[in-house]
Amino acid sequence: MYSILHRLARGMAWLGGAMLLILIVMTCVSILGRSLNGMLHGDAVTSIAPGLARWLLDLGIGPIQGDFELVEAGVAVAIFSFLPYCTLTGGHASVDIFTAKLPPRANRILQMCIDTLFAAVLVLIAVQLGAGTLSKMNSGQLSFLLQFPIWWGYAACLPGAWLAAVVGIYLAAMRMAETAAGRAILPPLRGSER
């Protein structure tokens, strides 16, 4: 089961990385277009080559319309895409100053409690995101510039949220099994010395 979840989570993380790459390229193109648009409207270009400036402006040189809306939705999708892999591999920030010297059994119990609580929070987030998606769908709310339905962004985040919830439940169950067995079952978390 771990290997299946690991492949799914890693694939979802790759999709999140692709989303961020697309957003970076789009932002750079938009900034370049905004700069060129300002330059083409400037006194220097309009006095030297007014025909060229008008022709380029008529081609649509300028910022990408609604780039802020696309970045807002895309970053949310990327975050939820990274969440399952981060959860499965223990990539979340942790402070283990106080737990580093605890015996292995105490650390297993503590990790079980943390993963169980985290699973509950991930399930709550996934359920609330689903409810929010339905609410936005029913309201018919549209984005300001692009006029796309707001619920599309929420819905695009759902696969990552649900996979993170499944991963969280799996980890909590495995931590309970580890605590009962008194030994490690899952691979070590990143940076841990179990």
Side-chain angles (χ1 to χ4, degrees):
M1 181 74 170
Y2 179 86
S3 63
I4 293 169
L5 286 176
H6 189 267
R7 280 194 300 270
L8 286 171
R10 193 172 56 196
M12 186 71 72
W14 276 103
L15 289 174
M19 174 63 75
L20 281 182
L21 184 61
I22 289 166
L23 292 174
I24 289 167
V25 169
M26 182 203 64
T27 301
C28 291
V29 168
S30 186
I31 290 169
L32 181 62
R34 185 174 283 115
S35 297
L36 286 173
N37 186 283
M39 191 173 69
L40 291 171
H41 279 98
D43 291 337
V45 175
T46 54
S47 63
I48 296 170
L52 177 63
R54 177 63 17 219
W55 179 72
L56 289 172
L57 288 168
D58 289 342
L59 285 177
I61 300 238
I64 294 175
Q65 182 75 10
D67 56 349
F68 291 105
E69 293 174 355
L70 293 171
V71 167
E72 180 181 28
V75 167
V77 171
I79 289 168
F80 277 102
S81 295
F82 295 137
L83 192 56
Y85 188 74
C86 190
T87 301
L88 189 62
T89 60
H92 299 292
S94 65
V95 179
D96 58 356
I97 293 172
F98 301 110
T99 62
K101 301 296 182 197
L102 290 176
R105 177 163 170 71
N107 272 323
R108 269 194 295 279
I109 291 170
L110 184 60
Q111 191 64 50
M112 178 192 69
C113 292
I114 290 168
D115 284 341
T116 302
L117 181 62
F118 204 57
V121 169
L122 289 170
V123 168
L124 178 66
I125 288 170
V127 168
Q128 290 301 313
L129 184 61
T133 302
L134 290 175
S135 174
K136 294 296 182 186
M137 187 186 308
N138 292 332
S139 74
Q141 189 176 358
L142 302 174
S143 69
F144 182 70
L145 293 174
L146 296 177
Q147 295 292 298
F148 68 81
I150 297 292
W151 70 267
W152 288 358
Y154 281 68
C157 294
L158 278 174
W162 281 109
L163 182 57
V166 168
V167 165
I169 292 168
Y170 171 76
L171 285 179
M174 289 295 101
R175 296 298 180 208
M176 288 176 193
E178 284 181 343
T179 302
R183 64 179 177 81
I185 296 172
L186 293 172
L189 298 174
R190 290 195 170 166
S192 73
E193 309 275 330
R194 292 196 315 163

